[in-house]
Amino acid sequence: MTMDQQTGLMSLNMSPFDLSPGPEGSGSGGGPSGTSQQYVPQGAAYQCGPEQQSFGYANLDPSYLFPTGAGGEAGAYLPATGAVCDQTDTKDVIEELCPVCGDKVSGYHYGLLTCESCKGFFKRTVQNKKVYTCVAERACHIDKTQRKRCPFCRFQKCLDVGMKLEAVRADRMRGGRNKFGPMYKRDRARKLQMMRQRQIAVQTLRGSIGDGSLVLGFGSPYASVPVKQEIQIPQVSSLTSSPESSPGPVLLAAQPQPQQPPPPPAHDKWEAHSPHSASPDAFAFDAPATNAATPSSTAEPTSTETLRVSPMIREFVQTIDDREWQNSLFGLLQSQTYNQCEVDLFELMCKVLDQNLFSQVDWARNTVFFKYLKVDDQMKLLQNSWSDMLVLDHLHQRMHNGLPDETTLHNGQKFDLICLGLLGVPALADHFNELQNKLAELKFDVPDYICVKFLLLLNPEVRGIVNVKCVRDGYQTVQAALLDYTLTCYPNIQDKFGKLVTVVPEIHALASRGEEHLYQRHCAGQAPTQTLLMEMLHAKRKPNGGEMVNRSAEHTSTLDRLCGFLPSDAIEPHSPI
DNA sequence: AGTCAAGGCCAG
DNA sequence: CTGGCCTTGACT
């Protein structure tokens, strides 16, 4: 039996964001099989109790904390020995701790390196369609000694760290290999490379002690938390396809390609995450009917003009990882609603926004101009622009990737995807649509998008920036590049650049209203606490007007840690907190 | 033939 | 129900 058959649980005509089970339910063999336990209706936020709260994010998916680059998906611990790893053999790679319980890893199981017991637990849960109940707040701490206490939270953590439902075989066939084989191989290779790079980074650091210019996270007390396993989701629709043959990240396809058909709907990226994909079409975004990135015959750049796109803009476009954005969105919606009767949609929206924020920080800190700034400056810029960029990202996903307004969750609930772009304010929908129409008229394309995003981020007017010159240089460089791009590639659109620039304050106005709304709901106790999202909301409202939170070791904010984190491939293991 | 990630078995 | 160990079988 193929993986398609194993996992063919979804309606064939299901939309890419339709996460609800197919006609047969969430399992392969019909409805739940006589489990005695029942789900406890949701109410509590995804928070941690005081006993396990070693730091602010103790019970959020720890892999959010230290994103290690685009494509990261599952979670795992790096070696937490505290010692610098001087060897880079495979043995070290495998000597990790289970991302679920911290026990010794026995190999790759269901998508990532886990211990034998969590492997067995995950298998039994999925095979037998167990439904667990948490008698506490559904935020139990899971470690080696306590993993048996709360199967609900243990399973939730399995999903959170990235264990894959689709790797459990519906037909129970033994032996053989599945589609993750090549992925595991790549992951091993990547880990080995990371080890080597970390070694180099450590050596570099040793040679630069006392050099205050290094912005590294070695002093962080958080480095022993799990770090995302760098497993790329195979871009395949069946067991028989090779992930290696999958298309690369969204790169040049996003650039104007007037003489070619628009990029095909990216089915794969949806199937990749869904245990329920049944057909290649099941997870395609709607083909962008009014794809602004597919220029019309009158206004688009010609192929000759495309060649004139500056290398910098090409590079900018390459920083976009829409697939990661979509995969993580889908993965979160999937994991948050698996085995759930009903979820709080506002809370879910906050979690998605929170995840988007982590991606955003990860994107920013790897980009030119920004990555050379000191952490404090980086934080100020992000705190100033995060909501604007969230709105812009959503416009981009809608316009260039056909993101629908709504999706059906696993549990049958409808989730308004559009609310992500509106930051939870339905009343802004008209404004949002007007903005989108305006951009569509301007043939707003992917290079435009990424340039505007840089302009939002690199705002030299932000108060308190130390290295204003660097920010301004970056801003002006992007501005010039965008002007050049619009003149070269869209000569028929009168003053496209100027009109794009006028959109920025509109985005800001929209985002500000959203922020205000989120803040009020947060104050009313309706939003999950201890999230990066809430940290961002609070930052602007601090009496010192966006000054950094106290950055002493005992009071380090999440954003601080994210910005101060090492380059993704040079992570220094630390002793536990 | 060896590898290794699936599923299965069964004592505790 | 758990988790350590065993069996299986596609892939190398």
Side-chain angles (χ1 to χ4, degrees), chain A residues 151-470:
Chain A
F152 178 96
C153 292
R154 188 184 189 183
F155 187 61
Q156 193 60 49
K157 193 166 179 190
C158 287
L159 294 172
D160 285 348
V161 301
M163 291 183 79
K164 302 198 180 312
L165 300 166
E166 64 267 40
V168 179
R169 298 172 182 170
D171 61 358
R172 300 202 167 196
M173 190 183 72
R174 302 173 74 185
R177 284 278 188 272
N178 67 10
K179 68 175 178 179
F180 295 111
M183 179 175 92
Y184 297 144
K185 193 176 169 185
R186 276 206 305 273
D187 188 57
R188 278 198 184 86
R190 198 175 290 115
K191 282 185 197 309
L192 275 173
Q193 194 181 356
M194 282 172 67
M195 289 286 205
R196 296 201 182 95
Q197 287 177 332
R198 189 185 312 134
Q199 239 186 309
I200 293 165
V202 168
Q203 283 160 3
T204 307
L205 182 75
R206 282 174 181 159
S208 332
I209 288 175
D211 179 359
S213 67
L214 275 176
V215 182
L216 300 175
F218 286 1
S220 160
Y222 306 102
S224 66
V225 300
V227 174
K228 275 187 177 181
Q229 281 182 27
E230 287 277 331
I231 294 182
Q232 293 273 352
I233 302 306
Q235 305 298 299
V236 293
S237 56
S238 79
L239 256 179
T240 51
S241 309
S242 164
E244 307 295 350
S245 64
S246 61
V250 179
L251 297 176
L252 296 176
Q255 295 185 9
Q257 292 177 318
Q259 299 207 328
Q260 295 172 13
H267 314 134
D268 301 340
K269 59 194 173 194
W270 298 111
E271 291 175 74
H273 253 298
S274 171
H276 304 297
S277 56
S279 82
D281 294 326
F283 290 96
F285 267 146
D286 302 330
T290 55
N291 189 349
T294 309
S296 72
S297 59
T298 54
E300 81 274 17
T302 66
S303 59
T304 327
E305 286 159 350
T306 303
L307 296 174
R308 284 188 239 148
V309 174
S310 75
M312 190 176 77
I313 288 189
R314 285 174 191 274
E315 259 182 51
F316 285 178
V317 170
Q318 290 184 14
T319 67
I320 304 171
D321 194 345
D322 287 339
R323 201 174 54 189
E324 166 67 8
W325 191 94
Q326 293 148 358
N327 280 345
S328 55
L329 169 65
F330 184 88
L332 187 64
L333 293 176
Q334 177 186 314
S335 69
Q336 291 291 323
T337 55
Y338 186 82
N339 267 357
Q340 306 279 324
C341 291
E342 191 180 358
V343 298
D344 179 332
L345 293 175
F346 179 76
E347 188 186 317
L348 182 60
M349 182 199 74
C350 288
K351 287 176 184 170
V352 173
L353 289 178
D354 199 50
Q355 178 175 277
N356 288 347
L357 274 179
F358 276 93
S359 308
Q360 202 170 77
V361 176
D362 195 42
W363 166 79
R365 71 186 180 84
N366 286 305
T367 58
V368 69
F369 307 124
F370 188 87
K371 66 181 172 187
Y372 304 115
L373 296 168
K374 289 274 173 75
V375 174
D376 278 358
D377 283 354
Q378 292 184 338
M379 290 170 65
K380 287 190 176 87
L381 292 179
L382 281 167
Q383 287 173 343
N384 175 70
S385 61
W386 64 271
S387 55
D388 298 13
M389 291 198 293
L390 284 183
V391 172
L392 180 70
D393 282 351
H394 204 87
L395 283 163
H396 161 65
Q397 293 296 342
R398 280 187 111 200
M399 297 179 71
H400 305 143
N401 290 322
L403 184 77
D405 288 352
E406 185 184 82
T407 185
T408 305
L409 304 172
H410 258 143
N411 58 8
Q413 282 179 278
K414 298 277 186 193
F415 181 72
D416 271 334
L417 289 161
I418 183 79
C419 75
L420 298 170
L422 305 175
L423 302 178
V425 191
L428 294 176
D430 288 345
H431 191 174
F432 189 88
N433 286 328
E434 278 172 30
L435 204 53
Q436 181 173 335
N437 291 339
K438 188 170 175 181
L439 288 170
E441 278 175 28
L442 292 173
K443 304 289 174 193
F444 182 68
D445 64 10
V446 175
D448 294 331
Y449 151 70
I450 194 65
C451 287
V452 171
K453 190 166 175 177
F454 271 106
L455 293 179
L456 290 173
L457 177 68
L458 300 170
N459 182 351
E461 305 299 320
V462 173
R463 275 199 297 165
I465 297 287
V466 175
N467 197 348
V468 183
K469 184 179 182 301
C470 182

